[in-house]
Amino acid sequence: MTTATEALASVVAATAAPGQPQALFAALDQAMGATIGHKLFTILVIHPGAKESQRYYSNMPDAYPIGGRKPINPTHWFNTVLGEGVPYIGYNYADISDVFFDHELIRSLGCESVLNVPVRWNGTSIGTINLLHERGWYGRGHVALAQHFAALAVPGLLKVIAEG
């Protein structure tokens, strides 16, 4: 079993690796899977000037491909996670279906809980790290460690945003 310290250290080491931001995002995927757990792992980047979001990383690219952008819709999820910078925990399928239009696809992948962690820089959410797993997987006890990982994601997201 990987300790939190070992997992955080592996992500820190990945920031120095070539092939950014992919190397960093893959290290986050592995480290957060080993310490917090997930079936589906994605990273969403916010392009503030364009008012669009983009899935930039996915561990299930067939179901959740990287690439295309979509307009940001000001929902209560958006206001909480991206506006206020507060992580969101969906404990069960009802919570997921309340905030995600693709809840049926999420469920078909064996996921019925979610932890969305805002990646913050300079007082603003610049993206989210999204972990999904079986029902009841996530709890408040996961948030602090997830926020440490999210802080380490900042340089990767800033690189994506700078490249447009």
Side-chain angles (χ1 to χ4, degrees):
M1 176 109 185
T2 303
T3 69
T5 301
E6 291 167 336
L8 288 163
S10 72
V11 174
V12 169
T15 64
Q20 296 299 334
Q22 211 56 26
L24 172 59
F25 294 164
L28 285 162
D29 179 1
Q30 183 176 4
M32 293 180 85
T35 56
I36 299 170
H38 61 73
K39 290 183 179 185
L40 174 61
F41 179 92
T42 65
I43 297 178
L44 182 75
V45 178
I46 303 303
H47 295 281
K51 296 186 180 175
E52 295 176 322
S53 64
Q54 175 186 16
R55 185 178 307 108
Y56 197 83
Y57 181 92
S58 173
N59 72 332
M60 292 187 183
D62 290 339
Y64 282 93
I66 59 171
R69 295 184 185 193
K70 59 184 177 181
I72 294 173
N73 296 318
T75 63
H76 69 87
W77 179 94
F78 174 86
N79 292 335
T80 299
V81 177
L82 295 173
E84 298 170 19
V86 176
Y88 173 78
I89 299 173
Y91 299 95
N92 54 46
Y93 182 66
D95 292 341
I96 286 178
S97 64
D98 184 47
V99 295
F100 301 117
F101 74 92
D102 55 347
H103 53 89
E104 291 177 0
L105 175 57
I106 292 169
R107 187 181 223 178
S108 76
L109 298 172
C111 300
E112 292 192 17
S113 67
V114 63
L115 174 57
N116 302 118
V117 187
V119 177
R120 305 274 294 174
W121 173 250
N122 198 28
T124 302
S125 295
I126 60 173
T128 60
I129 297 176
N130 311 295
L131 296 89
L132 295 97
H133 213 311
E134 63 196 43
R135 183 172 56 92
W137 188 269
Y138 301 110
R140 299 297 318 158
H142 293 114
V143 170
L145 179 58
Q147 288 176 309
H148 283 78
F149 284 117
L152 294 173
V154 167
L157 271 70
L158 288 176
K159 179 175 175 50
V160 172
I161 292 167
E163 292 175 352

